[in-house]
Amino acid sequence: TFARMAAALLAAILFLPCDAQAISAKSAIVLDGITGRVLYEKNSDQKSLIASTTKIMTALIVCQQSNVLDRVRIPAEAVGIEGSSVYLREGEILTVQDLLYGLMLHSGNDAAVALAIYCSGTVEGFAQLMNDKAYRLGMLQTHFENPNGLDSPAHYSTARDMAILTAYAMDNPIFAKTVSTKNITAGNRYLRNHNKLLWRVEGVDGVKTGFTKEAGRILVSSAVRQGRRLVAVTINDPNDWVDHATLLEEGFSRYRVEKVVSADACIGTVEVAGGESTQIQLLAQSDFYYALLENEEPEIVVQGPGFVYAPVVKGQAAGYAYVCLGGKAVGKIPVYYGETIEQYQVPEHSFWQKIFGDRG
């Protein structure tokens, strides 16, 4: 789940075995989108301008809150916006999906404003939606001022936060379909995706480029191979196409996703005090997968005092077990008791046994 991924992100600060200095970016990260493991990072919590990769959040909110078949009349406020543009005309009518293609393939700043006003009435109101969503996703080093990414001192994020956002956004089928489209005709405009990785690297299915003179080149990519999704983010990277190709290849080739724990498997025991049995099994509530290097061996650590008082009911929640690597927790699994153990009952004696004792 996304919650497990976010928890693992906070705990797992692990690296690809390649030289960080070989990556040209000022800051970067590679995230395993399924397990949440950070495979590589470089200054990943450094706040930076993020240019048009801002539009990942814009598109996500539009996909979640709008019907993409709705028709939008372009307001005057969305015409003639500075920077990259799909050259919207006032009064023109386009679908939300057309505008999403203009936003994510051609990076239209005017499309961003049109969608923001359509969803929220004002650009300022939409920016508040963006910040609310960022907070709920745990993007704690992020603040949005606008839907398009034009430079502003109060408009920033980090490589880590953008990876969290992207891994979440790619679970939205409309968002994923939009950013994976290589070219399309939308509203009588032929649009070709600016993301060259879609043609160059196996499995790439998104996501967004960005550039301003002050921010430099920003690139967020996603790729899927054999059911695994990796998300890579580079910020202020003059060699981003090559760096992303390298980071994605390293991530897929050096790491494999393994099932560390199976649902209903016994992962430990605890002592039972005052019960008809003295020990009880703890069973895993769910499967747990993690991206591992060839020689890594995760350790399962059961939390708690090591004993429980009877009675204990089969299926009753028994806390958590932690999956650890190198002494650090990288995930946790809910556990439950594998059987019912009744409280030990002292045999009752009859009236005569109480007077004369048990003479056998």
PDB file of all heavy atoms in Angstrom, residues 70-79 88-96 99 113-115 117-118:
ATOM      1  N   ASP A  70     -15.580  16.152 -19.389  1.00  0.00           N
ATOM      2  CA  ASP A  70     -16.225  17.461 -19.272  1.00  0.00           C
ATOM      3  C   ASP A  70     -15.620  18.440 -20.269  1.00  0.00           C
ATOM      4  O   ASP A  70     -14.424  18.392 -20.563  1.00  0.00           O
ATOM      5  CB  ASP A  70     -16.060  18.023 -17.854  1.00  0.00           C
ATOM      6  CG  ASP A  70     -17.004  17.369 -16.856  1.00  0.00           C
ATOM      7  OD1 ASP A  70     -17.860  16.571 -17.289  1.00  0.00           O
ATOM      8  OD2 ASP A  70     -16.873  17.656 -15.651  1.00  0.00           O
ATOM      9  N   ARG A  71     -16.467  19.352 -20.744  1.00  0.00           N
ATOM     10  CA  ARG A  71     -16.022  20.374 -21.699  1.00  0.00           C
ATOM     11  C   ARG A  71     -15.747  21.671 -20.946  1.00  0.00           C
ATOM     12  O   ARG A  71     -16.522  22.081 -20.073  1.00  0.00           O
ATOM     13  CB  ARG A  71     -17.084  20.576 -22.774  1.00  0.00           C
ATOM     14  CG  ARG A  71     -17.205  19.356 -23.695  1.00  0.00           C
ATOM     15  CD  ARG A  71     -18.566  19.269 -24.371  1.00  0.00           C
ATOM     16  NE  ARG A  71     -18.795  20.390 -25.274  1.00  0.00           N
ATOM     17  CZ  ARG A  71     -18.348  20.453 -26.534  1.00  0.00           C
ATOM     18  NH1 ARG A  71     -17.631  19.448 -27.019  1.00  0.00           N
ATOM     19  NH2 ARG A  71     -18.617  21.484 -27.298  1.00  0.00           N
ATOM     20  N   VAL A  72     -14.641  22.301 -21.270  1.00  0.00           N
ATOM     21  CA  VAL A  72     -14.188  23.504 -20.567  1.00  0.00           C
ATOM     22  C   VAL A  72     -14.136  24.674 -21.557  1.00  0.00           C
ATOM     23  O   VAL A  72     -13.485  24.578 -22.604  1.00  0.00           O
ATOM     24  CB  VAL A  72     -12.788  23.288 -19.949  1.00  0.00           C
ATOM     25  CG1 VAL A  72     -12.313  24.556 -19.248  1.00  0.00           C
ATOM     26  CG2 VAL A  72     -12.793  22.087 -19.007  1.00  0.00           C
ATOM     27  N   ARG A  73     -14.802  25.773 -21.214  1.00  0.00           N
ATOM     28  CA  ARG A  73     -14.683  26.992 -22.008  1.00  0.00           C
ATOM     29  C   ARG A  73     -13.488  27.781 -21.479  1.00  0.00           C
ATOM     30  O   ARG A  73     -13.426  28.102 -20.288  1.00  0.00           O
ATOM     31  CB  ARG A  73     -15.956  27.837 -21.915  1.00  0.00           C
ATOM     32  CG  ARG A  73     -15.930  29.087 -22.827  1.00  0.00           C
ATOM     33  CD  ARG A  73     -17.225  29.865 -22.730  1.00  0.00           C
ATOM     34  NE  ARG A  73     -18.347  29.093 -23.246  1.00  0.00           N
ATOM     35  CZ  ARG A  73     -18.681  29.011 -24.526  1.00  0.00           C
ATOM     36  NH1 ARG A  73     -17.980  29.680 -25.444  1.00  0.00           N
ATOM     37  NH2 ARG A  73     -19.722  28.294 -24.903  1.00  0.00           N
ATOM     38  N   ILE A  74     -12.529  28.066 -22.320  1.00  0.00           N
ATOM     39  CA  ILE A  74     -11.276  28.687 -21.889  1.00  0.00           C
ATOM     40  C   ILE A  74     -11.530  30.138 -21.467  1.00  0.00           C
ATOM     41  O   ILE A  74     -12.022  30.953 -22.264  1.00  0.00           O
ATOM     42  CB  ILE A  74     -10.213  28.642 -23.008  1.00  0.00           C
ATOM     43  CG1 ILE A  74      -9.982  27.197 -23.462  1.00  0.00           C
ATOM     44  CG2 ILE A  74      -8.925  29.297 -22.545  1.00  0.00           C
ATOM     45  CD1 ILE A  74      -9.567  26.239 -22.373  1.00  0.00           C
ATOM     46  N   PRO A  75     -11.192  30.482 -20.206  1.00  0.00           N
ATOM     47  CA  PRO A  75     -11.401  31.854 -19.739  1.00  0.00           C
ATOM     48  C   PRO A  75     -10.270  32.778 -20.188  1.00  0.00           C
ATOM     49  O   PRO A  75      -9.169  32.313 -20.534  1.00  0.00           O
ATOM     50  CB  PRO A  75     -11.390  31.694 -18.216  1.00  0.00           C
ATOM     51  CG  PRO A  75     -10.478  30.531 -17.973  1.00  0.00           C
ATOM     52  CD  PRO A  75     -10.674  29.603 -19.137  1.00  0.00           C
ATOM     53  N   ALA A  76     -10.521  34.069 -20.148  1.00  0.00           N
ATOM     54  CA  ALA A  76      -9.513  35.045 -20.563  1.00  0.00           C
ATOM     55  C   ALA A  76      -8.242  34.938 -19.721  1.00  0.00           C
ATOM     56  O   ALA A  76      -7.130  35.173 -20.220  1.00  0.00           O
ATOM     57  CB  ALA A  76     -10.096  36.459 -20.446  1.00  0.00           C
ATOM     58  N   GLU A  77      -8.402  34.567 -18.442  1.00  0.00           N
ATOM     59  CA  GLU A  77      -7.243  34.492 -17.536  1.00  0.00           C
ATOM     60  C   GLU A  77      -6.241  33.418 -17.947  1.00  0.00           C
ATOM     61  O   GLU A  77      -5.086  33.430 -17.504  1.00  0.00           O
ATOM     62  CB  GLU A  77      -7.700  34.208 -16.090  1.00  0.00           C
ATOM     63  CG  GLU A  77      -8.617  35.277 -15.513  1.00  0.00           C
ATOM     64  CD  GLU A  77     -10.079  34.942 -15.718  1.00  0.00           C
ATOM     65  OE1 GLU A  77     -10.433  34.392 -16.783  1.00  0.00           O
ATOM     66  OE2 GLU A  77     -10.867  35.227 -14.795  1.00  0.00           O
ATOM     67  N   ALA A  78      -6.676  32.436 -18.778  1.00  0.00           N
ATOM     68  CA  ALA A  78      -5.796  31.340 -19.185  1.00  0.00           C
ATOM     69  C   ALA A  78      -5.130  31.583 -20.542  1.00  0.00           C
ATOM     70  O   ALA A  78      -4.447  30.700 -21.063  1.00  0.00           O
ATOM     71  CB  ALA A  78      -6.589  30.038 -19.223  1.00  0.00           C
ATOM     72  N   VAL A  79      -5.306  32.757 -21.093  1.00  0.00           N
ATOM     73  CA  VAL A  79      -4.757  33.058 -22.419  1.00  0.00           C
ATOM     74  C   VAL A  79      -3.516  33.935 -22.274  1.00  0.00           C
ATOM     75  O   VAL A  79      -3.492  34.873 -21.476  1.00  0.00           O
ATOM     76  CB  VAL A  79      -5.815  33.776 -23.286  1.00  0.00           C
ATOM     77  CG1 VAL A  79      -5.234  34.182 -24.636  1.00  0.00           C
ATOM     78  CG2 VAL A  79      -7.029  32.865 -23.485  1.00  0.00           C
ATOM     79  N   LEU A  88      -3.861  28.535 -26.105  1.00  0.00           N
ATOM     80  CA  LEU A  88      -5.312  28.509 -25.948  1.00  0.00           C
ATOM     81  C   LEU A  88      -5.914  29.841 -26.370  1.00  0.00           C
ATOM     82  O   LEU A  88      -5.285  30.892 -26.221  1.00  0.00           O
ATOM     83  CB  LEU A  88      -5.675  28.219 -24.486  1.00  0.00           C
ATOM     84  CG  LEU A  88      -5.241  26.857 -23.934  1.00  0.00           C
ATOM     85  CD1 LEU A  88      -5.574  26.757 -22.449  1.00  0.00           C
ATOM     86  CD2 LEU A  88      -5.887  25.716 -24.712  1.00  0.00           C
ATOM     87  N   ARG A  89      -7.141  29.775 -26.874  1.00  0.00           N
ATOM     88  CA  ARG A  89      -7.858  30.975 -27.281  1.00  0.00           C
ATOM     89  C   ARG A  89      -9.072  31.177 -26.379  1.00  0.00           C
ATOM     90  O   ARG A  89      -9.771  30.213 -26.034  1.00  0.00           O
ATOM     91  CB  ARG A  89      -8.312  30.849 -28.740  1.00  0.00           C
ATOM     92  CG  ARG A  89      -7.165  30.667 -29.732  1.00  0.00           C
ATOM     93  CD  ARG A  89      -7.667  30.612 -31.164  1.00  0.00           C
ATOM     94  NE  ARG A  89      -8.570  29.487 -31.387  1.00  0.00           N
ATOM     95  CZ  ARG A  89      -8.161  28.254 -31.680  1.00  0.00           C
ATOM     96  NH1 ARG A  89      -6.868  27.978 -31.772  1.00  0.00           N
ATOM     97  NH2 ARG A  89      -9.056  27.304 -31.889  1.00  0.00           N
ATOM     98  N   GLU A  90      -9.329  32.415 -26.010  1.00  0.00           N
ATOM     99  CA  GLU A  90     -10.468  32.716 -25.140  1.00  0.00           C
ATOM    100  C   GLU A  90     -11.770  32.242 -25.789  1.00  0.00           C
ATOM    101  O   GLU A  90     -12.011  32.479 -26.979  1.00  0.00           O
ATOM    102  CB  GLU A  90     -10.551  34.216 -24.855  1.00  0.00           C
ATOM    103  CG  GLU A  90     -11.682  34.579 -23.897  1.00  0.00           C
ATOM    104  CD  GLU A  90     -11.756  36.067 -23.617  1.00  0.00           C
ATOM    105  OE1 GLU A  90     -10.855  36.819 -24.077  1.00  0.00           O
ATOM    106  OE2 GLU A  90     -12.710  36.484 -22.921  1.00  0.00           O
ATOM    107  N   GLY A  91     -12.595  31.555 -25.001  1.00  0.00           N
ATOM    108  CA  GLY A  91     -13.876  31.060 -25.495  1.00  0.00           C
ATOM    109  C   GLY A  91     -13.802  29.708 -26.181  1.00  0.00           C
ATOM    110  O   GLY A  91     -14.838  29.077 -26.442  1.00  0.00           O
ATOM    111  N   GLU A  92     -12.599  29.257 -26.497  1.00  0.00           N
ATOM    112  CA  GLU A  92     -12.418  27.936 -27.107  1.00  0.00           C
ATOM    113  C   GLU A  92     -12.929  26.860 -26.136  1.00  0.00           C
ATOM    114  O   GLU A  92     -12.792  26.979 -24.916  1.00  0.00           O
ATOM    115  CB  GLU A  92     -10.933  27.731 -27.399  1.00  0.00           C
ATOM    116  CG  GLU A  92     -10.580  26.423 -28.063  1.00  0.00           C
ATOM    117  CD  GLU A  92      -9.079  26.299 -28.307  1.00  0.00           C
ATOM    118  OE1 GLU A  92      -8.312  27.164 -27.825  1.00  0.00           O
ATOM    119  OE2 GLU A  92      -8.682  25.332 -28.978  1.00  0.00           O
ATOM    120  N   ILE A  93     -13.504  25.792 -26.663  1.00  0.00           N
ATOM    121  CA  ILE A  93     -14.016  24.714 -25.821  1.00  0.00           C
ATOM    122  C   ILE A  93     -13.213  23.443 -26.061  1.00  0.00           C
ATOM    123  O   ILE A  93     -13.095  22.958 -27.190  1.00  0.00           O
ATOM    124  CB  ILE A  93     -15.513  24.455 -26.092  1.00  0.00           C
ATOM    125  CG1 ILE A  93     -16.326  25.703 -25.719  1.00  0.00           C
ATOM    126  CG2 ILE A  93     -16.007  23.245 -25.314  1.00  0.00           C
ATOM    127  CD1 ILE A  93     -17.804  25.603 -26.045  1.00  0.00           C
ATOM    128  N   LEU A  94     -12.631  22.928 -24.971  1.00  0.00           N
ATOM    129  CA  LEU A  94     -11.839  21.702 -25.012  1.00  0.00           C
ATOM    130  C   LEU A  94     -12.295  20.790 -23.868  1.00  0.00           C
ATOM    131  O   LEU A  94     -12.850  21.259 -22.873  1.00  0.00           O
ATOM    132  CB  LEU A  94     -10.345  21.996 -24.844  1.00  0.00           C
ATOM    133  CG  LEU A  94      -9.683  22.857 -25.921  1.00  0.00           C
ATOM    134  CD1 LEU A  94      -8.301  23.282 -25.473  1.00  0.00           C
ATOM    135  CD2 LEU A  94      -9.596  22.076 -27.225  1.00  0.00           C
ATOM    136  N   THR A  95     -12.029  19.499 -23.986  1.00  0.00           N
ATOM    137  CA  THR A  95     -12.327  18.603 -22.863  1.00  0.00           C
ATOM    138  C   THR A  95     -11.212  18.699 -21.818  1.00  0.00           C
ATOM    139  O   THR A  95     -10.089  19.147 -22.114  1.00  0.00           O
ATOM    140  CB  THR A  95     -12.443  17.141 -23.317  1.00  0.00           C
ATOM    141  OG1 THR A  95     -11.162  16.699 -23.795  1.00  0.00           O
ATOM    142  CG2 THR A  95     -13.495  16.976 -24.406  1.00  0.00           C
ATOM    143  N   VAL A  96     -11.534  18.265 -20.619  1.00  0.00           N
ATOM    144  CA  VAL A  96     -10.519  18.198 -19.567  1.00  0.00           C
ATOM    145  C   VAL A  96      -9.367  17.313 -20.021  1.00  0.00           C
ATOM    146  O   VAL A  96      -8.190  17.643 -19.806  1.00  0.00           O
ATOM    147  CB  VAL A  96     -11.134  17.664 -18.253  1.00  0.00           C
ATOM    148  CG1 VAL A  96     -10.045  17.349 -17.227  1.00  0.00           C
ATOM    149  CG2 VAL A  96     -12.131  18.661 -17.682  1.00  0.00           C
ATOM    150  N   LEU A  99      -7.016  19.123 -22.309  1.00  0.00           N
ATOM    151  CA  LEU A  99      -6.170  20.045 -21.548  1.00  0.00           C
ATOM    152  C   LEU A  99      -5.092  19.295 -20.758  1.00  0.00           C
ATOM    153  O   LEU A  99      -3.968  19.788 -20.613  1.00  0.00           O
ATOM    154  CB  LEU A  99      -7.023  20.897 -20.609  1.00  0.00           C
ATOM    155  CG  LEU A  99      -7.896  21.950 -21.308  1.00  0.00           C
ATOM    156  CD1 LEU A  99      -8.911  22.542 -20.336  1.00  0.00           C
ATOM    157  CD2 LEU A  99      -7.025  23.059 -21.909  1.00  0.00           C
ATOM    158  N   VAL A 113      -3.390  26.823 -16.053  1.00  0.00           N
ATOM    159  CA  VAL A 113      -4.264  27.856 -15.502  1.00  0.00           C
ATOM    160  C   VAL A 113      -5.722  27.541 -15.816  1.00  0.00           C
ATOM    161  O   VAL A 113      -6.605  27.669 -14.953  1.00  0.00           O
ATOM    162  CB  VAL A 113      -3.865  29.247 -16.044  1.00  0.00           C
ATOM    163  CG1 VAL A 113      -4.894  30.298 -15.624  1.00  0.00           C
ATOM    164  CG2 VAL A 113      -2.469  29.624 -15.544  1.00  0.00           C
ATOM    165  N   ALA A 114      -6.000  27.100 -17.044  1.00  0.00           N
ATOM    166  CA  ALA A 114      -7.379  26.758 -17.415  1.00  0.00           C
ATOM    167  C   ALA A 114      -7.926  25.643 -16.541  1.00  0.00           C
ATOM    168  O   ALA A 114      -9.071  25.708 -16.063  1.00  0.00           O
ATOM    169  CB  ALA A 114      -7.427  26.348 -18.893  1.00  0.00           C
ATOM    170  N   LEU A 115      -7.124  24.626 -16.287  1.00  0.00           N
ATOM    171  CA  LEU A 115      -7.566  23.508 -15.441  1.00  0.00           C
ATOM    172  C   LEU A 115      -7.732  23.939 -13.991  1.00  0.00           C
ATOM    173  O   LEU A 115      -8.670  23.512 -13.306  1.00  0.00           O
ATOM    174  CB  LEU A 115      -6.572  22.351 -15.551  1.00  0.00           C
ATOM    175  CG  LEU A 115      -6.606  21.572 -16.871  1.00  0.00           C
ATOM    176  CD1 LEU A 115      -5.381  20.684 -17.003  1.00  0.00           C
ATOM    177  CD2 LEU A 115      -7.883  20.746 -16.969  1.00  0.00           C
ATOM    178  N   ILE A 117      -8.521  26.941 -12.837  1.00  0.00           N
ATOM    179  CA  ILE A 117      -9.741  27.747 -12.714  1.00  0.00           C
ATOM    180  C   ILE A 117     -10.976  26.866 -12.856  1.00  0.00           C
ATOM    181  O   ILE A 117     -11.965  27.028 -12.122  1.00  0.00           O
ATOM    182  CB  ILE A 117      -9.733  28.879 -13.758  1.00  0.00           C
ATOM    183  CG1 ILE A 117      -8.623  29.886 -13.418  1.00  0.00           C
ATOM    184  CG2 ILE A 117     -11.091  29.566 -13.833  1.00  0.00           C
ATOM    185  CD1 ILE A 117      -8.403  30.946 -14.485  1.00  0.00           C
ATOM    186  N   TYR A 118     -10.918  25.880 -13.740  1.00  0.00           N
ATOM    187  CA  TYR A 118     -12.053  24.968 -13.918  1.00  0.00           C
ATOM    188  C   TYR A 118     -12.323  24.176 -12.631  1.00  0.00           C
ATOM    189  O   TYR A 118     -13.478  23.994 -12.231  1.00  0.00           O
ATOM    190  CB  TYR A 118     -11.771  24.009 -15.070  1.00  0.00           C
ATOM    191  CG  TYR A 118     -12.782  22.901 -15.161  1.00  0.00           C
ATOM    192  CD1 TYR A 118     -14.064  23.134 -15.645  1.00  0.00           C
ATOM    193  CD2 TYR A 118     -12.459  21.610 -14.739  1.00  0.00           C
ATOM    194  CE1 TYR A 118     -15.006  22.114 -15.708  1.00  0.00           C
ATOM    195  CE2 TYR A 118     -13.385  20.589 -14.798  1.00  0.00           C
ATOM    196  CZ  TYR A 118     -14.659  20.847 -15.281  1.00  0.00           C
ATOM    197  OH  TYR A 118     -15.587  19.839 -15.335  1.00  0.00           O
TER     198      TYR A 118
END
